[in-house]
Amino acid sequence: MLVVMQQDAGSEEIQRVVGVIEEMGYQARPIPGEQRMAIGVVGNDGPVDSSRVEGLPGVQEVISVSAPYKLVSREWRKEDTVIPLFNGTLIGGPNTVVMAGPCGVESEAQLMETAEAVAKAGATILRGGAFKPRTSPYSYQGMGVEGLKLLAKARELFGLAVITEAIDLESLDAVEEYADIIQIGARNMQNFSLLKRAGRARKPVMLKRGLSATLKEWLLAAEYILAEGNEQVILCERGVRSFETYTRNMVDINAIPVIKQLSHLPIVADPSHGTGRRELVVPIARAAVAAGADGIMVEVHRDPTQAKSDGPQSLYPEQFRTMMSELERISLAMGKPLLAGV
Ligand code: PEP
Ligand code: MN
């Protein structure tokens, strides 16, 4: 439920509404708007009897929020959420943004060479896993905190904002310290204690869609983060499991416009994990931008044949440059021109 106050409602009237909501056993979240104040009601798991607030002085209208998720819903917040980063990148704003880099940080030379290539081609956010969630315990697990330090060094050298994954509570503390965006991976989408911790973080969070999560489950997972107080959440469609085996996953292009309808949060697409095949990454990146994505995350490696993880889906720097010039044209046609370098 959302209580919209009259434009001239004073703080006493607002306090009274908050008090009544709390008396009813719910939490009240004042949402200041350009025109007027609204007060959101959270903590309910079903319909709320609005009659007690409807007649209170200063109340203009009471809107029921029908979705099970509240804070992430478009009903709750009509305007798009825009997430600013230190280097001028706005995620969910007027430009299409690109996050690029290796699947995993492997060495200083590998990261710096790749970071330089993606920065020169116009990416403004560097990706690279320092903590890798691998299907096999024998696969490359990442460099840990040393990897985070290299990412921070790349940020200094190239002006790129940094996104990297936290795989558990311990790594989240470290990622929060070093990165600009905390990534929660597909395998952890319903790790509720991790989501709650991310909700208390002081950095934006990118939540990838679970391997076979419905849009509702995904949005409820994002709700966990917002419910703890962190409103800086980005959603990332990275493909879902399907019957098809030719590709690694099936990119759900539908999800992009659907999320835009249902939520105010920015959505980016990851065609690398979505397809698992290098030659498909660029066409699907184009499709995602054409479908209205706020950005693209792609894996790029200076030499994919040597990559310790996800080499077959990693672009060569040259392919990345081609992708950027193609996305430049498509994003322009979509009215959301590529943010090329900051
Ligand atoms: C990644 O981005 O490196 C990753 C592990 O992705 P996902 O969680 O989508 O599999
Ligand atoms: Mn990967």
Side-chain angles (χ1 to χ4, degrees):
M1 190 172 86
L2 198 57
V3 183
V4 181
M5 302 300 291
Q6 287 162 3
Q7 214 162 351
D8 57 1
S11 60
E12 251 174 54
E13 286 159 332
I14 292 167
Q15 267 320 308
R16 177 127 181 243
V17 173
V18 168
V20 170
I21 292 169
E22 287 173 354
E23 263 172 40
M24 290 163 76
Y26 308 122
Q27 296 154 33
R29 298 270 174 112
I31 310 167
E34 263 175 39
Q35 300 291 325
R36 54 173 69 84
M37 174 71 105
I39 301 164
V41 180
V42 288
N44 60 302
D45 196 11
V48 177
D49 174 13
S50 59
S51 59
R52 278 188 68 190
V53 266
E54 258 156 7
L56 293 176
V59 171
Q60 170 144 329
E61 62 173 326
V62 177
I63 301 170
S64 81
V65 179
S66 48
Y69 36 84
K70 311 285 175 206
L71 306 173
V72 305
S73 74
R74 233 346 141 185
E75 288 165 293
W76 192 272
R77 204 185 127 105
K78 290 204 168 26
E79 315 84 54
D80 291 337
T81 285
V82 180
I83 299 177
L85 301 176
F86 79 90
N87 63 359
T89 303
L90 297 175
I91 305 176
N95 295 104
T96 302
V97 303
V98 175
M99 312 175 177
C103 176
V105 180
E106 298 167 2
S107 70
E108 177 155 2
Q110 172 251 13
L111 184 66
M112 299 309 161
E113 269 182 46
T114 311
E116 184 171 18
V118 301
K120 276 196 177 145
T124 62
I125 304 171
L126 175 66
R127 66 147 289 145
F131 300 93
K132 295 303 303 170
R134 304 307 302 282
T135 300
S136 164
Y138 308 120
S139 301
Y140 181 61
Q141 303 286 312
M143 290 180 75
V145 175
E146 286 313 304
L148 296 179
K149 289 182 180 163
L150 291 176
L151 287 164
K153 186 169 178 187
R155 169 176 48 219
E156 292 305 311
L157 287 174
F158 306 111
L160 296 163
V162 163
I163 179 167
T164 192
E165 180 167 355
I167 56 172
D168 50 26
L169 294 173
E170 197 185 341
S171 57
L172 201 145
D173 289 344
V175 167
E176 182 180 18
E177 189 183 332
Y178 287 97
D180 301 294
I181 306 172
I182 302 163
Q183 176 171 322
I184 304 283
R187 289 155 194 80
N188 268 318
M189 190 204 83
Q190 285 189 317
N191 180 339
F192 299 115
S193 51
L194 193 61
L195 296 176
K196 285 184 186 170
R197 170 65 184 85
R200 293 190 294 272
R202 299 169 316 278
K203 297 272 173 74
V205 174
M206 187 174 88
L207 179 64
K208 297 189 97 177
R209 183 176 181 178
L211 305 181
S212 52
T214 64
L215 298 178
K216 187 168 136 186
E217 288 163 341
W218 188 17
L219 289 169
L220 281 168
E223 184 83 8
Y224 266 88
I225 305 173
L226 274 84
E228 289 292 326
N230 190 350
E231 298 185 345
Q232 307 250 291
V233 175
I234 304 148
L235 298 167
C236 177
E237 163 62 40
R238 45 78 75 203
V240 289
R241 280 274 165 91
S242 83
F243 49 83
E244 183 54 72
T245 53
Y246 185 82
T247 45
R248 183 173 176 183
N249 289 297
M250 193 178 277
V251 178
D252 182 6
I253 289 285
N254 295 352
I256 297 167
V258 175
I259 290 290
K260 281 276 166 217
Q261 267 173 30
L262 299 180
S263 177
H264 52 82
L265 297 176
I267 173 146
V268 310
D270 170 355
S272 306
H273 294 87
T275 63
R277 299 176 75 111
R278 182 180 304 123
E279 76 277 14
L280 301 179
V281 169
V282 177
I284 300 306
R286 294 196 301 252
V289 172
D294 294 297
I296 296 293
M297 168 180 262
V298 284
E299 289 182 339
V300 182
H301 196 290
R302 62 171 177 167
D303 181 3
T305 62
Q306 299 301 313
K308 291 188 177 166
S309 60
D310 288 349
Q313 68 191 34
S314 299
L315 296 179
Y316 284 89
E318 181 53 36
Q319 287 177 302
F320 180 69
R321 285 190 281 276
T322 304
M323 185 194 90
M324 291 300 274
S325 69
E326 293 183 3
L327 292 189
E328 200 175 314
R329 283 180 282 152
I330 295 173
S331 60
L332 202 60
M334 291 301 298
K336 237 173 130 66
L338 202 63
L339 180 68
V342 280

